Amino acid sequence: YTLSLHDALPISNERKNLSAGTWYHLAATCDQATGEVCIYVNGERQSYSDTYVSSQDINLAMRALFDSGDAAYQTYHNAYQFFVGKSYDDTRDADADFAEVRVWSVARSRQELIDNMYAVDPATPGLIGYWKCNEESGDVVHDSSPLGNDAVAHTSLVWASDIEIPQDLAQ
């Protein structure tokens, strides 16, 4: 589902800042039926809102087609798409390395996030995208979920070989 954190969650503050050079497990959940949106950092709820409403679906498979009404003029744009490491334009990117990215069709509970922080069975019901980010070269990140939505990078990927994921965050 579409998740606009800017509109749904409280304004940022220093308590929510992340430190450079530190590994974090980040998760955003959105329950479209209840309007609840949560941001979790290392299994702890950091932000919450119960006023989120959207009926738009995220397009995992391709760029959104914009139809201007003129059949001869159609172009692709970023509306309702899924991005990793950036927002809707090229000026809002994440200065981060990603170990894995997962997308679910259901809102995961805090306990489910903690239990699957380091690994998840690709056949788990509701898992609709699972990019392990372990290709080490190229500009395609393969989807390990049954749906096979391989991700193609918008810009050339730089593969980090020195990322060590701490195993002591799930408690």
Side-chain angles (χ1 to χ4, degrees), residues 1-3 30 32-33 52-58 80:
Y1 298 107
T2 303
L3 182 59
C30 176
Q32 195 171 27
Y52 177 75
V53 177
S54 177
S55 61
Q56 299 294 322
D57 289 337
I58 292 174
Y80 305 116

Side-chain angles (χ1 to χ4, degrees), residues 104-157:
W104 302 82
S105 62
V106 294
R108 305 283 282 168
S109 70
R110 177 181 181 267
Q111 193 59 52
E112 288 171 320
L113 293 172
I114 291 170
D115 291 347
N116 298 130
M117 192 176 290
Y118 300 105
V120 66
D121 180 347
T124 302
L127 184 62
I128 61 172
Y130 183 20
W131 300 273
K132 294 184 181 183
C133 303
N134 61 359
E135 282 77 3
E136 298 182 9
S137 67
D139 291 334
V140 175
V141 182
H142 298 285
D143 181 5
S144 296
S145 82
L147 297 181
N149 286 313
D150 292 347
V152 179
H154 177 67
T155 60
S156 293
L157 295 176

Side-chain angles (χ1 to χ4, degrees), residues 6-20:
H6 175 73
D7 296 330
L9 297 173
I11 297 172
S12 64
N13 62 48
E14 285 189 28
R15 184 183 65 81
K16 297 178 183 180
N17 288 343
L18 303 178
S19 300

